[in-house]
Amino acid sequence: GFVFAGRHRDQMGGRKRHGPFDWGGAFLQMLVLILFILFVDPPSFTVAGSESIVLSRWILGGGLVTTSFIFYVIQRQVPEPILDFSLFKIRTFWAANLANFLNFVSYSSLLVLMPFYLEEVLRLDPEHAGFLMSAIPLTVFLVAPISGHLSDQMGTRYLCAFGALVSGTALLLMAGVLGSGLSDGTEHYKVMFSLLTIGLASGIFQAPNNVALMSALTTRKLGVASAIMATIRNLGLVTGTGLAAKIFSWRHSETGDFVEAFHYALFVFGLLAFGT
């Protein structure tokens, strides 16, 4: 990767002059992201063998809001901001990023809960469970290029909407909205089909969404836009993972039923997928 990047980087126009790197903005952005992750899933710690202490969400939320405000004010003043907030004045840009965030929130819920279902409920060994889970990325790998090509022919809006519709429907069906959903007696081929459907939905959604986001900007802004897109995607994964774990744990503690708690979490994130 290092050799390839060194040989082929910056072929679109040679060196360009930029202002000084925004080190202060980079530090504040890192702090905002850390506080956001801690707010979604507050850590616990012990001191000298004491009972576990969980950081208050009120404290973390206050720190997150304060740091975010300081970061926003500074970014509006520096000549070369690390995060150009003016991009969010473009409707297509912020709408595509919001859809991207919601998509990865719902997507990550399945990624974090499904392995436990496969091993704890279906009693599969880790190798078999990993093989079934590979259906999602492999399907995305095959479908995304096709979806990207179709978006050039028919636009991005309807493909993104269709991908979100398929994802939400698949999650609700897995949650047992119609039928038994994924339960302790589900055959392996049905599980595989469900995972292939999620991969299909994600592949249909991602490429057109990326095209819509990038086509809304000038070439000069594409580097910053791609960084924002990657950050939003990771925030979606972190948020979905934390929320899925919390929702599942709460429901499981209430009912004591793994499958019921699994269905409940998938139902919540299936509804969220329709909001994409």
Side-chain angles (χ1 to χ4, degrees):
F2 174 79
V3 174
F4 184 82
R7 292 185 59 184
H8 299 281
R9 66 179 177 84
D10 201 19
Q11 292 183 350
M12 294 183 64
R15 297 181 180 273
K16 301 178 179 64
R17 289 187 174 274
H18 296 281
F21 183 76
D22 183 17
W23 291 103
F27 173 77
L28 285 173
Q29 184 186 46
M30 179 185 67
L31 191 57
V32 168
L33 295 176
I34 291 175
L35 287 171
F36 179 83
I37 293 172
L38 295 178
F39 177 77
V40 172
D41 189 13
S44 60
F45 59 93
T46 59
V47 179
S50 64
E51 292 186 3
S52 179
I53 302 173
V54 180
L55 290 179
S56 170
R57 268 203 171 92
W58 288 103
I59 296 176
L60 293 170
L64 175 60
V65 171
T66 302
T67 307
S68 299
F69 178 75
I70 296 173
F71 175 64
Y72 173 77
V73 171
I74 291 177
Q75 291 300 284
R76 294 298 299 270
Q77 297 176 354
V78 297
E80 291 285 346
I82 196 168
L83 178 56
D84 190 350
F85 283 98
S86 67
L87 295 178
F88 290 96
K89 295 179 181 179
I90 304 172
R91 183 178 181 274
T92 301
F93 181 79
W94 68 258
N97 270 305
L98 178 60
N100 195 33
F101 176 79
L102 294 176
N103 175 71
F104 275 95
V105 169
S106 60
Y107 175 73
S108 63
S109 66
L110 187 70
L111 293 183
V112 70
L113 295 178
M114 181 59 74
F116 294 100
Y117 164 77
L118 295 175
E119 295 188 29
E120 298 296 328
V121 177
L122 297 187
R123 301 298 179 183
L124 300 181
D125 56 78
E127 291 79 8
H128 194 176
F131 172 75
L132 289 178
M133 290 298 298
S134 67
I136 297 178
L138 288 177
T139 308
V140 173
F141 176 78
L142 294 174
V143 173
I146 300 174
S147 180
H149 177 73
L150 290 176
S151 69
D152 294 335
Q153 308 299 321
M154 56 185 296
T156 60
R157 177 179 300 179
Y158 295 112
L159 281 173
C160 288
F162 181 66
L165 177 64
V166 172
S167 178
T169 303
L171 288 172
L172 292 182
L173 290 176
M174 284 188 276
V177 172
L178 295 175
S180 60
L182 297 181
S183 63
D184 53 0
T186 302
E187 294 88 345
H188 293 182
Y189 77 89
K190 291 184 179 180
V191 176
M192 175 67 80
F193 179 78
S194 298
L195 296 177
L196 288 172
T197 304
I198 292 296
L200 173 67
S202 185
I204 292 174
F205 174 87
Q206 288 182 25
N209 184 74
N210 294 346
V211 170
L213 194 153
M214 291 301 185
S215 62
L217 306 174
T218 62
T219 303
R220 182 174 178 272
K221 297 291 186 179
L222 292 182
V224 174
S226 64
I228 294 174
M229 182 175 62
T231 301
I232 294 294
R233 179 172 62 245
N234 288 323
L235 286 178
L237 291 171
V238 169
T239 303
T241 299
L243 288 179
K246 292 296 183 183
I247 292 172
F248 174 84
S249 298
W250 167 75
R251 193 63 180 173
H252 188 258
S253 66
E254 292 286 323
T255 64
D257 187 332
F258 186 103
V259 173
E260 200 279 338
F262 180 59
H263 284 177
Y264 187 89
L266 292 184
F267 177 78
V268 171
F269 287 99
L271 294 180
L272 183 63
F274 282 115
T276 305

